[in-house]
Amino acid sequence: MRKMGVLFLALTMILLVGCAFAMEPIPQEDLKAGFVYVGPVGDGGWTYMHDQGRLDMEAAFPGLSSSFVESVPEGPDSSRVMETFARKGFQVVFATSFGYMDFVQEVAEKYPDTVFMHCSGYKKADNVGIYFGRMYQARYLSGLVAGSKTKSNIIGYVAAQPIPEVIRGINAFSLGVRKVNPAARIKVIWLFSWFDPGKEKEATKAFIDAGADVIAMHADSGATPQTAEEAGVYVVGYNNDMSRYAPTMHLTAPIWDWGMVYKHVAEQLVTGTWKSEDIWWGLKEGMVKLAPFGKDVPAEVKNMVDAESNRIISGSWDVFTGPIKDQDGKVKVPEGEIMSDADMLSMSWFVEGVEGEIPK
Amino acid sequence: MDILIPILAAAVRSGTPILYATLGEILTEKSGVLNLGLEGIMLMGAFTGFAVSMYTGNPWIAIAASFLVGMIITSIHGFLCITMGANQVVSGLALTMAGTGASSLLGRNFIGETITGLGKMHLPFLSEIPFIGPILFDHDPLVYISYFLVLFMCFFLSFTKSGLSLRAVGDSPRSADSVGISVVRTRYFYTLIGGGIVAIGGAYMSVAYTKMWGDLMTAGRGWIAVALVIFAIWHPMRAAFGAYLFGGVEAFQLRLQAAGTTIPTPLLMMLPYILTITVLLVISIREGKGLIFEAPSSLGQPFYREERE
């Protein structure tokens, strides 16, 4: 019996050692990448931008092949999709939504030779890396533009869901607005939906009726810029350059470049240098940026945005550097301190100047 | 008053797609056919409207095309349920899934495109009436057509021979058959027309309301319409009231948020659904007492001419 025990222990040891991730270079033409999308590629927003990144990667690595499965719910279905990729010999699987987090962990344990990259989560493993972008930096810059264009000092922010990612964006935007215009107030409407053009349109109209003269957004359709254009109100887009919906009123838009991460990971796999890491890139790396400015953005505003952008890129300052007060005037980040990444990722309060509530 | 006008105008605007879908479904259900495929039909209507509008530049051709496509895809449901006597719930759900999938597949190349679409139409005299004008008559022509459709359907169902035949087929197909009304033909006709009207609701979303196309852009409005048919107890006038109530509650809660109030908005958003459940409850309590006569009593049951009851 004891012998069996020893044997079992030895086997376990071997298994454990075998689990430690070892990376061999994969020839480019053999590399297969699988993508799990939370929405349809046609959402024109979040998933659309991820798919643009996938196409960027394909273009940069001729011979590499990639596939995607779209509209995968953030539940047990997602692990089935990821398993299928792993079983079919895909060497890397990108899971592009927060809710896949635990399922990635589960599948990654079963397929230790496959690399998993999870977007916007916080759980890593030997063969699981995580990636996200510091969108708040681009949001801050777009806030500077919005703050310098408002005359009524009322800015509307059409927001999808009350989660830290969106709250962080609203706060960064508001800090930008109030840096140039301390009298401005930012009103928030929650849609409780990521994609509903009809509702996004009505929310925009509600802001315009309430006197807002610049509208910003965190939702996936182009309904907000379109409505703003019709009403002759300035708008800040999101996800991608939305100026086609608002040719004259579009000021700018904080936008994503996911292709950077996908190319980076492909490079690592081809050279055999991949290791589990935590990618959280920002303006410096170019993963988030601003869409081209509209015609009504004056040169001095552009210069100021450039200066602020350089300040962030240089690393001497970041958006959430104290002093930062919350809605009630309570100091949340003391003078001279920079908020930690962990605090940013779990943000659940509004900065001073934001009007509206975070539903509990 | 100044606060009320934009909210009520918004109620009409955002209630219109739901109103079309509800009116279409009332026609279909009055004939005794239950069609749960509204969401799929609306999406196909929205896609067709957008695509045709983009190619022809003419919103009216686009709306006609949507109507046609709505009829064509509903004919699948008609064939399965009327000719084959299949389970109407299952067939309807299948239609929703098929319409959702097909529209997103076909619509892939239309993402991010823009169209001119249907603009506002000023009506002489009517648009100038104080209070009523800016609420009811400051919209695009599809909204005005929906008013007309409501009135026409009320008249049609209550005062015309065809309307009577339709109700007879839905209430008691056997009696209708015995007086020489073709149950199959009547059911086909109104199921298809109903499907076409539902598709116009979708086309309104893409051609008039938002002037864009995106996957799943109807965002559940087809399901709201299914509930509204019951809420309206199969009456076009109450359907209009219900659709504007749904639209109005949404417009109201968005404006409450813009004003920075602290009323929990999810609570407000539940209101129309709670009302629907209440109506369902009232119907089931009153059922059998002969008080609810608008509900087609053979709803969801296939009709076989040869069978005896």
Side-chain angles (χ1 to χ4, degrees):
Chain A
M1 211 48 216
R2 201 152 65 210
K3 256 185 199 162
M4 286 294 278
V6 172
L7 195 66
F8 180 74
L9 204 69
L11 272 172
T12 316
M13 293 286 280
I14 291 167
L15 270 173
L16 278 176
V17 171
C19 275
F21 201 77
M23 193 69 222
E24 294 276 317
I26 303 165
Q28 199 165 307
E29 49 282 357
D30 293 346
L31 187 55
K32 287 196 284 181
F35 286 78
V36 187
Y37 294 150
V38 70
V41 170
D43 68 359
W46 179 258
T47 294
Y48 175 77
M49 290 313 280
H50 277 283
D51 201 54
Q52 292 298 307
R54 179 183 70 85
L55 296 173
D56 268 7
M57 177 184 73
E58 274 196 347
F61 293 86
L64 174 155
S65 63
S66 66
S67 307
F68 64 84
V69 179
E70 57 187 343
S71 301
V72 179
E74 295 174 306
D77 265 1
S78 67
S79 57
R80 189 175 48 77
V81 173
M82 288 185 270
E83 272 203 70
T84 311
F85 275 135
R87 262 208 310 274
K88 282 188 176 162
F90 283 69
Q91 296 94 337
V92 58
V93 175
F94 294 95
T96 63
S97 192
F98 178 80
Y100 298 144
M101 184 160 66
D102 292 329
F103 304 102
V104 170
Q105 292 295 323
E106 197 185 294
V107 179
E109 213 169 287
K110 272 167 113 176
Y111 296 90
D113 295 331
T114 309
V115 169
F116 292 85
M117 291 296 293
H118 180 229
C119 178
S120 77
Y122 52 82
K123 287 186 183 167
K124 284 195 287 186
D126 274 348
N127 58 334
V128 180
I130 52 180
Y131 66 103
F132 204 29
R134 295 180 186 270
M135 184 43 92
Y136 66 89
Q137 296 177 337
R139 288 263 183 214
Y140 170 78
L141 298 182
S142 71
L144 296 170
V145 181
S148 60
K149 289 307 286 185
T150 179
K151 289 207 172 65
S152 67
N153 285 343
I154 301 173
I155 293 177
Y157 199 110
V158 179
Q161 301 276 10
I163 60 168
E165 179 198 341
V166 180
I167 294 166
R168 193 163 62 240
I170 295 171
N171 283 342
F173 175 82
S174 306
L175 289 173
V177 167
R178 289 175 53 99
K179 159 118 181 154
V180 294
N181 187 349
R185 290 170 299 149
I186 296 88
K187 290 171 177 278
V188 177
I189 290 182
W190 297 107
L191 300 170
F192 300 99
S193 159
W194 286 105
F195 184 84
D196 184 342
K199 211 168 179 182
E200 289 166 43
K201 187 182 185 98
E202 287 304 333
T204 311
K205 289 205 175 203
F207 276 139
I208 295 167
D209 289 345
D213 61 353
V214 182
I215 316 271
M217 57 174 281
H218 193 153
D220 285 344
S221 95
T224 293
Q226 191 189 56
T227 311
E229 176 82 16
E230 282 168 8
V233 168
Y234 287 119
V235 65
V236 173
Y238 174 56
N239 270 323
N240 49 55
D241 186 351
M242 288 190 160
S243 56
R244 62 182 179 284
Y245 295 110
T248 60
M249 306 313 287
H250 191 259
L251 293 173
T252 183
I255 59 178
W256 289 104
D257 182 355
W258 295 105
M260 288 205 60
V261 176
Y262 297 144
K263 285 186 277 193
H264 171 76
V265 172
E267 180 69 38
Q268 286 180 320
L269 291 169
V270 169
T271 53
T273 54
W274 188 89
K275 61 180 190 327
S276 169
E277 61 179 332
D278 186 345
I279 298 172
W280 206 22
W281 288 345
L283 287 174
K284 190 173 142 202
E285 293 83 0
M287 188 177 165
V288 301
K289 52 194 166 195
L290 283 188
F293 292 113
K295 64 169 174 51
D296 284 357
V297 180
E300 67 262 25
V301 173
K302 287 182 196 165
N303 293 338
M304 174 192 54
V305 170
D306 274 348
E308 285 295 288
S309 172
N310 289 332
R311 191 152 77 113
I312 294 171
I313 290 171
S314 75
S316 64
W317 184 84
D318 199 12
V319 175
F320 292 102
T321 303
I324 294 174
K325 290 183 190 161
D326 70 4
Q327 275 175 308
D328 308 323
K330 211 172 79 196
V331 176
K332 283 294 222 183
V333 186
E335 176 111 39
E337 252 179 57
I338 298 182
M339 190 188 267
S340 71
D341 283 0
D343 282 349
M344 274 192 234
L345 283 169
S346 62
M347 205 176 272
S348 61
W349 48 274
F350 277 146
V351 297
E352 204 173 25
V354 181
E355 287 183 359
E357 282 209 3
I358 300 171
K360 293 287 180 308
Chain B
M1 281 307 199
D2 283 352
I3 313 165
L4 215 53
I5 289 173
I7 293 180
L8 294 178
V12 172
R13 217 164 37 222
S14 52
T16 299
I18 312 173
L19 177 58
Y20 271 109
T22 310
L23 291 177
E25 181 67 4
I26 287 178
L27 264 189
T28 306
E29 289 194 10
K30 276 286 181 189
S31 78
V33 177
L34 177 71
N35 183 0
L36 293 182
L38 302 195
E39 186 78 2
I41 301 168
M42 278 181 91
L43 279 167
M44 279 307 287
F47 162 72
T48 310
F50 186 85
V52 173
S53 201
M54 209 178 109
Y55 284 126
T56 63
N58 185 332
W60 293 109
I61 297 177
I63 288 156
S66 294
F67 185 77
L68 208 67
V69 166
M71 294 212 330
I72 291 168
I73 50 173
T74 312
S75 67
I76 305 169
H77 183 67
F79 176 72
L80 286 173
C81 300
I82 302 167
T83 307
M84 306 303 285
N87 184 318
Q88 303 187 358
V89 173
V90 176
S91 166
L93 291 177
L95 201 61
T96 285
M97 287 185 244
T100 308
S103 64
S104 83
L105 186 70
L106 294 168
R108 191 142 289 174
N109 296 327
F110 294 86
I111 306 294
E113 300 288 348
T114 48
I115 54 170
T116 343
L118 210 54
K120 273 188 188 177
M121 188 174 132
H122 188 85
L123 295 177
F125 180 64
L126 285 176
S127 300
E128 279 129 47
I129 308 171
F131 194 65
I132 306 283
I135 293 170
L136 292 180
F137 302 108
D138 184 29
H139 299 287
D140 54 82
L142 267 187
V143 174
Y144 306 145
I145 294 174
S146 74
Y147 300 155
F148 177 74
L149 190 62
V150 170
L151 297 177
F152 175 76
M153 271 177 64
C154 286
F155 173 76
F156 174 78
L157 287 171
S158 305
F159 299 110
T160 65
K161 192 166 167 254
S162 312
L164 197 65
S165 311
L166 164 62
R167 279 161 49 205
V169 167
D171 275 329
S172 174
R174 202 147 298 279
S175 329
D177 186 55
S178 67
V179 295
I181 302 167
S182 167
V183 174
V184 169
R185 203 181 304 153
T186 310
R187 284 190 169 176
Y188 259 110
F189 184 75
Y190 291 105
T191 302
L192 295 195
I193 296 287
I197 295 174
V198 172
I200 291 183
Y204 172 81
M205 290 286 300
S206 65
V207 179
Y209 194 32
T210 66
K211 301 179 189 73
M212 65 173 67
W213 162 253
D215 276 8
L216 308 177
M217 70 177 296
T218 53
R221 285 174 178 77
W223 295 111
I224 294 177
V226 171
L228 265 188
V229 173
I230 300 161
F231 176 85
I233 326 179
W234 293 268
H235 195 286
M237 210 54 120
R238 283 189 292 256
F241 173 73
Y244 298 150
L245 181 71
F246 263 83
V249 166
E250 189 175 290
F252 181 56
Q253 69 92 0
L254 290 172
R255 275 170 173 76
L256 271 186
Q257 289 198 56
T261 50
T262 51
I263 297 170
T265 51
L267 216 65
L268 213 57
M269 284 151 77
M270 277 160 54
L271 189 71
Y273 298 93
I274 294 172
L275 286 175
T276 303
I277 293 170
T278 315
V279 171
L280 263 176
L281 209 68
V282 171
I283 291 179
S284 59
I285 291 168
R286 281 181 163 188
E287 211 167 29
K289 293 182 187 162
L291 289 168
I292 302 294
F293 48 85
E294 287 98 336
S297 40
S298 79
L299 183 62
Q301 295 160 8
F303 173 74
Y304 302 103
R305 200 159 184 214
E306 299 78 17
E307 255 172 33
R308 281 167 193 279
E309 264 170 3

